[in-house]
């Protein structure tokens, strides 16, 4: 299971990650020619100051660059679950060697619900500990997607959420207008097992998701609303075919009857629009939140989306909507929206509204 943190824990994790990044930079001369734990920089070159001054370019296209590694995996290897053709051994997970990952994937894919549940919990810890992305997680994405379509139905939603989290930056505690729909990590953040930018691993995971859109679209009408919501979460990470993905999400929104899924679809559309600079999206979101005839969850979700899409001051009408006591009553229900739980383990909606409306007041609640 995803480990939920308290607000104090979030601060500690952020400080720890910043210190860890600084420590890696300070200790680079002690690394060998392939980086941390033998899987870092280009083979056969010394870790001299010049190469580090040019970071990360010397790592691009090498066997440490997850974009290159993932791009070389044939579809038949993914479809056939040919784990032995994947270089797991080069990329450790958070708690041990990468060779452990395919066994857990195989257990997750089995028909044994209890064993599969344990394996999924281990994969969450191994591949996404405390919200961070690790290189071997990208290698697991194609297999997790295939398992989600054929494995234990009760684990489908959680498996999809893991895929989506691997394909985005850490979001613990960040419900700001700039942060909620943010995908990319700090460009100076190094992924510790490769010493490449964490963004390269995120990009590799997202490209793998995009390669398998044909597996995801059929899940949008799944009978389980949590699966539909998680599918929207994954689709928001697509890197190409954006008009197709966005139009598919819009069509689903037009017929969706579950409030949590409605908000998830709205945020997925907004995330794609924000990253790919869809100039029409702000007007679309404003039309939704400003229409009193719309369902409450649609107005709330669209209000959050609009705030993430523009830099404009908060209109009085929107502020009144988001601070109305009736909106706060939706907090428990909308906690199931995948974007909100990482912001706050208890009431992500309230935290997001507080951070978006009063950005200079930490952990503000309305």
């Amino acid at each position: 299971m995803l480990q939920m943190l308290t607000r104090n824990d979030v601060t500690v994790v952020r400080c720890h990650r910043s210190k860890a990044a600084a420590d890696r930079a300070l200790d680079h001369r002690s690394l060998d020619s392939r980086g941390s734990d033998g899987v870092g920089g280009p083979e056969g070159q010394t870790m001299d100051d010049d190469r580090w001054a040019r970071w990360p370019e010397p790592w691009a296209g090498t066997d440490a660059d997850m974009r290159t590694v993932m791009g070389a995996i044939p579809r038949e290897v993914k479809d056939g679950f040919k784990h032995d053709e994947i270089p797991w051994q080069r990329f450790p997970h958070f708690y041990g060697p990468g060779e452990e990952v395919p066994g857990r994937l195989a257990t997750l894919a089995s028909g044994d619900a209890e064993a599969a549940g344990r394996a999924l919990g281990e994969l969450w810890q191994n591949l996404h500990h405390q919200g961070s992305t690790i290189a071997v997680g990208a290698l697991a994405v194609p297999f997790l997607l295939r398992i989600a379509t054929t494995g234990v139905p009760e684990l489908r939603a959680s498996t999809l959420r893991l895929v989506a989290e691997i394909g985005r930056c850490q979001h613990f505690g960040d419900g700001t207008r700039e942060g909620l729909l943010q995908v990319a990590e700090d460009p100076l953040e190094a992924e510790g097992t490769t010493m490449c930018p964490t963004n390269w691993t995120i990009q590799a995971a997202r490209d793998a998701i995009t390669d398998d859109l044909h597996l995801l679209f059929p899940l949008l009408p799944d009978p389980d609303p949590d699966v539909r919501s998680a599918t929207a979460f994954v689709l928001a990470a697509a890197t190409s075919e954006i008009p197709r993905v966005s139009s598919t999400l819009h069509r689903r929104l037009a017929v969706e009857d579950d409030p949590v899924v409605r908000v998830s679809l709205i945020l997925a559309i907004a995330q794609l629009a924000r990253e790919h600079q869809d100039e029409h999206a702000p007007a679309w979101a404003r039309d939704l939140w400003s229409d009193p005839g719309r369902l409450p969850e649609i107005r709330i979700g669209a209000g959050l989306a609009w705030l993430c899409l523009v830099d404009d001051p908060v209109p009085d009408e929107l502020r009144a909507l988001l601070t109305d006591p009736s909106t706060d009553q939706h907090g428990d229900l909308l906690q199931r929206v995948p974007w909100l739980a990482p912001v706050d383990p208890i009431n992500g909606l309230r935290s997001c509204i507080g951070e978006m409306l009063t950005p200079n007041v930490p952990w503000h609640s309305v």
Side-chain angles (χ1 to χ4, degrees), residues 280-301:
H280 303 292
W284 161 78
R286 182 160 191 148
D287 286 345
L288 290 181
W289 69 252
S290 63
D291 182 357
R294 297 281 184 177
L295 292 165
E297 68 272 8
I298 290 181
R299 298 188 70 198
I300 294 168

Side-chain angles (χ1 to χ4, degrees), residues 5-19 130 170 172-174 362-363:
L5 303 180
T6 66
R7 291 173 175 174
N8 287 335
D9 290 336
V10 172
T11 302
V12 171
V13 169
R14 284 178 168 168
C15 291
H16 173 73
R17 292 175 76 228
S18 298
K19 181 180 184 299
Q130 293 186 341
Q170 193 213 61
F172 282 142
D174 192 350
W363 305 111

Side-chain angles (χ1 to χ4, degrees), residues 289 296 299-300 303 316-324 326-327:
W289 69 252
R299 298 188 70 198
I300 294 168
D316 291 342
E317 182 185 0
L318 179 55
R319 186 180 296 274
L321 167 67
L322 295 179
T323 58
D324 189 280
S326 64
T327 294

Side-chain angles (χ1 to χ4, degrees), residues 11-346:
T11 302
V12 171
V13 169
R14 284 178 168 168
C15 291
H16 173 73
R17 292 175 76 228
S18 298
K19 181 180 184 299
D23 288 345
R24 285 195 294 269
L26 290 171
D27 294 342
H28 69 263
R29 293 178 183 174
S30 67
L31 300 175
D32 64 20
S33 64
R34 303 199 62 208
S36 175
D37 296 325
V39 291
E43 189 170 3
Q45 299 183 29
T46 60
M47 289 299 213
D48 55 27
D49 288 339
D50 178 64
R51 287 188 60 253
W52 279 96
R54 293 183 293 117
W55 183 89
E57 285 76 10
W59 282 259
T62 70
D63 60 2
D65 183 345
M66 293 308 297
R67 301 168 301 178
T68 300
V69 175
M70 293 294 295
I73 300 175
R75 182 175 295 277
E76 55 268 24
V77 170
K78 306 173 188 178
D79 290 342
F81 288 88
K82 298 178 180 179
H83 294 144
D84 57 339
E85 297 187 28
I86 303 297
W88 307 102
Q89 72 283 355
R90 298 215 318 264
F91 305 99
H93 61 73
F94 281 108
Y95 290 101
E99 293 96 322
E100 296 177 347
V101 174
R104 292 182 178 128
L105 290 171
T107 302
L108 178 60
S110 71
D112 185 334
E114 183 176 351
R118 287 195 301 270
L120 182 57
E122 291 168 348
L123 287 167
W124 268 100
Q125 289 288 343
N126 296 163
L127 306 182
H128 199 63
H129 176 62
Q130 293 186 341
S132 297
T133 295
I134 195 166
V136 73
L139 288 178
V141 162
F143 303 105
L144 288 168
L145 285 173
R146 282 156 178 77
I147 293 168
T149 65
T150 60
V152 178
E154 293 79 10
L155 301 177
R156 184 168 294 159
S158 186
T159 302
L160 290 168
R161 286 195 299 271
L162 175 56
V163 169
E165 291 288 0
I166 292 171
R168 68 200 303 251
C169 63
Q170 193 213 61
H171 278 73
F172 282 142
D174 192 350
T176 63
R177 296 174 70 169
E178 299 79 14
L180 181 64
L181 303 183
Q182 179 67 30
V183 179
E185 188 57 87
D186 182 331
L188 297 179
E189 175 80 10
E191 193 284 308
T193 67
T194 63
M195 295 310 296
C196 294
T198 301
N199 276 334
W200 291 4
T201 291
I202 292 173
Q203 181 72 34
R206 296 180 64 199
D207 288 344
I209 289 169
T210 307
D211 287 343
D212 284 328
L213 291 177
H214 64 288
L215 298 176
L216 290 163
F217 289 143
L219 296 178
L220 280 174
D222 191 273
D224 184 350
D226 285 339
V227 172
R228 301 199 298 273
S229 185
T231 301
F233 195 32
V234 179
L235 286 171
T239 55
S240 63
E241 298 191 54
I242 304 306
R244 178 187 176 203
V245 176
S246 183
S247 63
T248 301
L249 293 168
H250 274 286
R251 287 196 299 271
R252 183 64 217 177
L253 179 61
V255 299
E256 182 55 58
D257 60 1
D258 184 90
V260 173
V261 184
R262 287 188 180 117
V263 174
S264 297
L265 290 165
I266 289 170
L267 293 181
I269 293 167
Q271 181 172 309
L272 290 168
R274 181 180 187 271
E275 185 176 14
H276 299 279
Q277 301 179 336
D278 180 353
E279 61 183 12
H280 303 292
W284 161 78
R286 182 160 191 148
D287 286 345
L288 290 181
W289 69 252
S290 63
D291 182 357
R294 297 281 184 177
L295 292 165
E297 68 272 8
I298 290 181
R299 298 188 70 198
I300 294 168
L304 297 179
W306 184 85
L307 288 169
C308 293
L309 289 170
V310 302
D311 297 324
D312 301 6
V314 182
D316 291 342
E317 182 185 0
L318 179 55
R319 186 180 296 274
L321 167 67
L322 295 179
T323 58
D324 189 280
S326 64
T327 294
D328 194 48
Q329 292 171 9
H330 288 79
D332 288 344
L333 173 64
L334 297 186
Q335 189 66 13
R336 289 166 45 212
V337 174
W339 283 263
L340 301 185
V343 172
D344 189 296
I346 298 173

